[in-house]
Amino acid sequence: AQRVTQPEKLLSVFKGAPVELKCNYSYSGSPELFWYVQYSRQRLQLLLRHISRESIKGFTADLNKGETSFHLKKPFAQEEDSAMYYCALMNNAGNMLTFGGGTRLMVKP
Amino acid sequence: GAGVSQSPSNKVTEKGKDVELRCDPISGHTALYWYRQSLGQGLEFLIYFQGNSAPDKSGLPSDRFSAERTGGSVSTLTIQRTQQEDSAVYLCASRPTGQGYNSPLHFGNGTRLTVT
């Protein structure tokens, strides 16, 4: 079975502060991990995926297989980063993307 | 191009009625997924289609839920004898399968179902 855990339901920071949204996973295979974001009144969309090793909107995420984590980080939060963030794991068969419970990020001015 | 389209965007129904939710995936996307997003809950996986086939229906919450996909394109999720606990946002997503299992899902805007 595959499982994704996001321990924080709400994370509130001030503009300019560093942000780290935690994600831990459980999966017996080789994980494919993603971060999705949902801004207010918008559809759920891909933010970044581990295989691309990219930085999107200043966010990065590193897969740590030893700690089974895929935390999302940004050094300086912006107000427009306020949104709901979901960590997700795709199984090797490609037939199930499992989401964590989500973390609401609020960036205060 | 056009994204994943879901209809209706909102549906209010009385308890005990049947509802049908529709999803139009992105053209050419062979994989299609349904999720349910309840208030205060995460995204619950319901069912996956590869083409017209759904090999695993175990994610559907009860036998009142069914889904089909015809022509490898449009999918419908049907809920019979709706209950108040069925109230949620139902999300559909699609992705191309020729790019490996790390290709991302593209989501629709969802159908907000309210059972009164």
Side-chain angles (χ1 to χ4, degrees), chain A residues 68-89:
Chain A
T68 59
S69 68
F70 189 57
H71 302 328
L72 183 68
K73 299 177 184 178
K74 184 168 182 176
F76 308 104
Q78 303 300 313
E79 288 181 69
E80 55 265 30
D81 296 329
S82 295
M84 194 75 182
Y85 290 80
Y86 293 95
C87 183
L89 183 152

Side-chain angles (χ1 to χ4, degrees), chain A residues 90-104:
Chain A
M90 176 67 86
N91 65 357
N92 295 156
N95 58 8
M96 186 183 292
L97 184 69
T98 299
F99 286 86
T103 298
R104 180 168 297 283

Side-chain angles (χ1 to χ4, degrees), chain A residues 13 20 25 28 35-37 45 52 65 68 75 85 87 91 94 97-98 103:
Chain A
V13 301
E20 182 178 52
Y25 67 89
S28 57
W35 277 97
Y36 282 80
V37 60
Q45 59 188 283
S52 302
K65 292 189 177 180
T68 59
Y85 290 80
C87 183
N91 65 357
L97 184 69
T98 299
T103 298

